[in-house]
Amino acid sequence: MEVNKDFNLTVGLRIREVREALSMTREQFSELCGISDSFLAAVENGKKSITTKTLYKICSSASISADYIVLGKEQGFETDMILELLNSLPSRQRDYAIRILKDFTLAVKSAAE
């Protein structure tokens, strides 16, 4: 029983992290996902677990992988968010954004050396 409680809390905290990364209130995020804000609050606090249907709603609405929510694979969460942002841009703007990301990455690496 304790494992379920810990797992529910871990999943809930990851969902909260995604919501906060999207700069959304609980009410905004629950509306986006098609779930009640009171249920979302209970999930984020580890008091309730989610079904696969709710997991699908959250992941598809927030454009994130279930791998992050369930397994905590960080790369999936960050990569999914970046890809979603890039894919929402027209082709020419996407090319500019990719160039900016490359330049930014090089600058950060240089500063760290």
Side-chain angles (χ1 to χ4, degrees):
M1 189 66 108
E2 202 57 36
V3 171
N4 270 350
K5 196 173 189 180
D6 291 344
F7 181 72
N8 288 347
L9 182 57
T10 301
V11 166
L13 291 173
R14 289 183 188 136
I15 291 170
R16 178 182 295 156
E17 183 181 349
V18 168
R19 176 178 62 77
E20 289 174 350
L22 295 171
S23 300
M24 298 181 92
T25 65
R26 198 173 272 147
E27 291 77 20
Q28 291 168 327
F29 191 70
S30 62
E31 186 176 325
L32 176 71
C33 298
I35 58 178
S36 74
D37 56 334
S38 60
F39 178 69
L40 179 59
V43 169
E44 287 185 351
N45 292 312
K47 297 184 187 323
K48 293 211 176 198
S49 60
I50 58 174
T51 63
T52 53
K53 183 178 179 179
T54 302
L55 178 64
Y56 174 79
K57 286 180 177 182
I58 291 169
C59 292
S60 61
S61 298
S63 299
I64 59 165
S65 170
D67 284 350
Y68 175 70
I69 299 296
V70 177
L71 303 173
K73 293 186 177 179
E74 293 280 339
Q75 184 179 4
F77 168 61
E78 293 166 348
T79 303
D80 287 348
M81 287 190 75
I82 292 168
L83 287 175
E84 179 65 24
L85 289 170
L86 290 173
N87 287 332
S88 69
L89 297 172
S91 180
R92 189 169 185 186
Q93 291 176 344
R94 184 174 39 247
D95 292 342
Y96 290 140
I98 290 169
R99 269 193 261 151
I100 290 168
L101 283 170
K102 286 180 181 177
D103 290 344
F104 175 77
T105 303
L106 289 173
V108 169
K109 286 181 180 178
S110 294
E113 294 174 351

